[in-house]
Amino acid sequence: MASISRKRFFLALVLSVTAVAAQAKVSEYQLDNGLKLIVKEDHRAPVVVSQVWYKVGSSYEHNGTTGISHVLEHMMFKGTNKHPPGEFSRIIAANGGRENAFTSQDYTAYFQSLEKSRLPVSFELEADRMRNLKLEKSEFAKEVKVVMEERRLRTEDNPESLTYEQFNAVAYTASPYRIPTIGWMNDLQNLRVEDLQHWYEKWYAPNNAIVVVVGDVKPDEVYALAKKYFGPLKPSQLSPPKPQLEPKQDGIRTMLVKTPAQLPYLIMGFKVPALKEAKPEWEAYALEVLAGIFDGGDSARLTTRLVRQQGIANSAGAGYDLYDRLSGMFLFEGVPAQGKTVAQLKQALQDQIADLQNHPVSTQELERVKAQVVADKVYERDSVFYQAMQIGTLEAVGLDWKTMDEYVPRVQAVTPEQIQAVAKKYLVSEHQTVAELVPLPMDPNKPQAAMSYGGRQDVH
């Protein structure tokens, strides 16, 4: 009884944090050149986070140009006529700030964290490189080699990441999510600086950008700064990317990846809609809670049952991306325990899916999972940086930033029957894609990259 009371208290605390966060003032502006500005006030400390989001990533690319968004992200630090290579980072550091960038399948973003009075510094630098970047052949030649080496270390020498990359290439037929964010090596080797110039001129424009500012600021003053620095920039001619809808998968797809590795590894995936494409919308939130049931902390089903109780898995997890631009995958992954096989792990995962399809989640378990799922999302709002991240992500994939305030009530509204319904509808064995990593002998003279599941986002 005491345990349930603590859970209810914890959930009430989370909901109160959410209510306070939802009341924080958010202001939205649109410049004449198409740039969108979103400002959220957070006056707890005299700091500000400024982020520029471009609606372009690897899912906008096509064969022959894969990796171009990521390479361009690297080149954005190589200077303009006004600020030579290295000057951007030097100026931010001289003003006591931190800066970086990342590329994903749906967007590319650049950010700075500064003392609040230094926001004009960030705006001046970002506005300059939005339309005035110098793409020198010599700098490009050096940087594309850096990216190729990054690919070798993060993907080709990382067995799990390599398996995940190959899994996506087989799982998707038409969807551009089959393209790795870092690009295929052959495309990187044949990429030209002229390709980057065209990509930059098309996508890096105010009418394809969202500027998000969160911190101890006054919205009208931020808007005035945005008009001063970003307002004079000219928009580009944009046409939205074609849908490239993924066709229905009729039959199981399986593959083996044979590469030097210490341990075997399994990925299972089922195609599911993201929030943007879910009809009805509640399915997406039910899938979000479903992921929490399988893999929402140490008390979730996969860790409890497969790792601790049955001893079949050394590790096991599940995941779902609610805020993708296109429909994606509900993923399961795991490493079998010593003495167990991938086949046994796969069957154990299938058994857990079947159990949930056949037996509704109990009220007590659902309450605990909801509290965990909500807490993971809400605690991000304690950070000024992640408040900006939530806004930018939603806007960049074509959702309204207000969607983040719907998260808690929509998750709380999910029922056991809805969870069971999406499990039966989408986690169908005949429609799954399975990839197995088959370890080959390791080269004792070759250093091994750190193992990491996924690898969907690059940080500069």
Side-chain angles (χ1 to χ4, degrees):
M1 191 72 174
S3 177
I4 294 176
S5 297
R6 282 197 297 272
K7 288 176 184 174
R8 287 175 178 163
F9 170 77
F10 176 66
L11 182 57
L13 178 63
V14 167
L15 290 172
S16 68
V17 172
T18 307
V20 172
Q23 293 170 5
K25 184 179 178 183
V26 179
S27 302
E28 183 176 332
Y29 306 89
Q30 189 92 28
L31 272 58
D32 292 341
N33 58 12
L35 183 137
K36 179 179 278 192
L37 171 69
I38 301 174
V39 183
K40 185 175 184 181
E41 297 178 59
D42 188 324
H43 301 289
R44 292 175 296 172
V47 297
V48 63
V49 169
S50 176
Q51 299 178 349
V52 179
W53 295 70
Y54 294 98
K55 291 182 280 186
V56 64
S58 59
S59 66
Y60 289 71
E61 299 166 1
H62 52 79
N63 291 341
T65 67
T66 66
I68 191 170
S69 300
H70 174 216
V71 175
L72 181 55
E73 175 220 313
H74 280 241
M75 291 298 294
M76 283 287 282
F77 293 85
K78 297 303 177 180
T80 64
N81 285 328
K82 188 174 182 181
H83 299 104
E87 191 73 358
F88 187 107
S89 298
R90 187 197 66 78
I91 291 173
I92 295 296
N95 281 272
R98 296 183 294 108
E99 46 84 33
N100 214 321
F102 55 86
T103 306
S104 84
Q105 56 192 10
D106 293 328
Y107 42 76
T108 309
Y110 303 82
F111 60 88
Q112 296 86 43
S113 299
L114 296 153
E115 192 274 330
K116 66 177 184 178
S117 67
R118 300 295 194 265
L119 182 60
V121 176
S122 168
F123 274 19
E124 190 272 327
L125 290 169
E126 288 288 12
D128 182 36
R129 68 176 176 178
M130 181 177 286
R131 296 265 72 182
N132 302 312
L133 185 67
K134 285 182 67 177
L135 291 167
E136 301 283 0
K137 285 187 177 182
S138 58
E139 290 289 344
F140 166 75
K142 290 187 292 186
E143 205 61 33
V144 77
K145 289 180 181 178
V146 171
V147 174
M148 286 189 280
E149 182 61 22
E150 183 181 325
R151 177 181 166 78
R152 292 187 189 96
L153 290 172
R154 293 190 179 185
T155 302
E156 295 177 2
D157 292 343
N158 186 319
E160 291 188 6
S161 293
L162 181 64
T163 303
Y164 180 73
E165 180 181 82
Q166 295 294 316
F167 168 85
N168 281 333
V170 169
Y172 294 110
T173 301
S175 172
Y177 281 176
R178 69 185 184 279
I179 296 171
T181 300
I182 201 164
W184 298 111
M185 184 64 83
N186 181 66
D187 288 347
L188 294 172
Q189 291 169 339
N190 289 281
L191 200 61
R192 302 174 304 163
V193 72
E194 291 82 8
D195 299 326
L196 262 71
Q197 188 69 47
H198 173 75
W199 201 253
Y200 169 74
E201 290 174 358
K202 179 179 181 179
W203 297 110
Y204 277 54
N207 54 324
N208 195 48
I210 306 129
V211 175
V212 181
V213 175
V214 178
D216 189 15
V217 294
K218 295 179 180 179
D220 289 345
E221 293 179 358
V222 177
Y223 178 47
L225 283 174
K227 287 195 293 184
K228 176 182 177 181
Y229 291 107
F230 294 102
L233 303 180
K234 293 182 180 180
S236 67
Q237 293 293 324
L238 284 176
S239 56
K242 294 183 179 181
Q244 295 182 270
L245 298 179
E246 182 68 16
K248 181 183 176 182
Q249 180 175 329
D250 295 316
I252 301 173
R253 298 176 187 171
T254 60
M255 65 177 305
L256 300 178
V257 178
K258 297 184 178 181
T259 191
Q262 293 177 337
L263 297 170
Y265 176 60
L266 173 71
I267 304 177
M268 292 169 45
F270 304 83
K271 294 187 176 73
V272 291
L275 175 60
K276 187 181 175 184
E277 298 186 351
K279 291 182 176 43
E281 279 192 353
W282 64 258
E283 286 192 345
Y285 291 99
L287 288 165
E288 178 85 342
V289 177
L290 179 60
I293 291 169
F294 284 123
D295 189 17
D298 288 340
S299 58
R301 291 191 178 191
L302 296 187
T303 298
T304 299
R305 298 180 181 182
L306 270 58
V307 178
R308 291 202 293 266
Q309 294 178 0
Q310 300 177 23
I312 290 175
N314 183 48
S315 64
Y320 167 70
D321 289 315
L322 182 69
Y323 297 144
D324 277 348
R325 183 174 70 91
L326 305 172
S327 291
M329 303 283 286
F330 194 102
L331 293 174
F332 294 87
E333 55 91 27
V335 175
Q338 188 173 5
K340 303 296 182 179
T341 66
V342 167
Q344 289 174 304
L345 174 58
K346 179 185 173 184
Q347 185 59 54
L349 289 169
Q350 295 281 19
D351 291 344
Q352 293 305 312
I353 293 170
D355 182 48
L356 199 143
Q357 290 171 332
N358 296 324
H359 304 97
V361 181
S362 70
T363 301
Q364 184 176 15
E365 182 181 13
L366 186 56
E367 182 179 301
R368 175 187 58 75
V369 170
K370 283 181 178 180
Q372 183 67 53
V373 169
V374 168
D376 288 344
K377 187 67 66 176
V378 170
Y379 283 157
E380 289 182 356
R381 298 197 187 187
D382 193 48
S383 161
V384 173
F385 177 80
Y386 281 104
Q387 289 180 61
M389 283 287 294
Q390 287 184 344
I391 293 171
T393 298
L394 289 166
E395 290 286 333
V397 301
L399 293 166
D400 192 286
W401 62 265
K402 300 180 186 70
T403 305
M404 67 183 183
D405 292 331
E406 299 174 4
Y407 184 86
V408 172
R410 297 300 294 272
V411 165
Q412 288 298 325
V414 171
T415 66
E417 293 75 21
Q418 289 175 334
I419 294 168
Q420 196 172 22
V422 294
K424 288 182 177 180
K425 181 177 180 180
Y426 294 110
L427 306 188
V428 180
S429 59
E430 291 79 9
H431 298 162
Q432 68 181 320
T433 302
V434 181
E436 177 185 347
L437 167 62
V438 179
L440 297 180
M442 304 282 288
D443 182 351
N445 299 316
K446 188 174 183 179
Q448 296 302 307
M451 304 292 269
S452 61
Y453 167 58
R456 294 173 45 155
Q457 177 171 287
D458 170 75
V459 177
H460 173 76

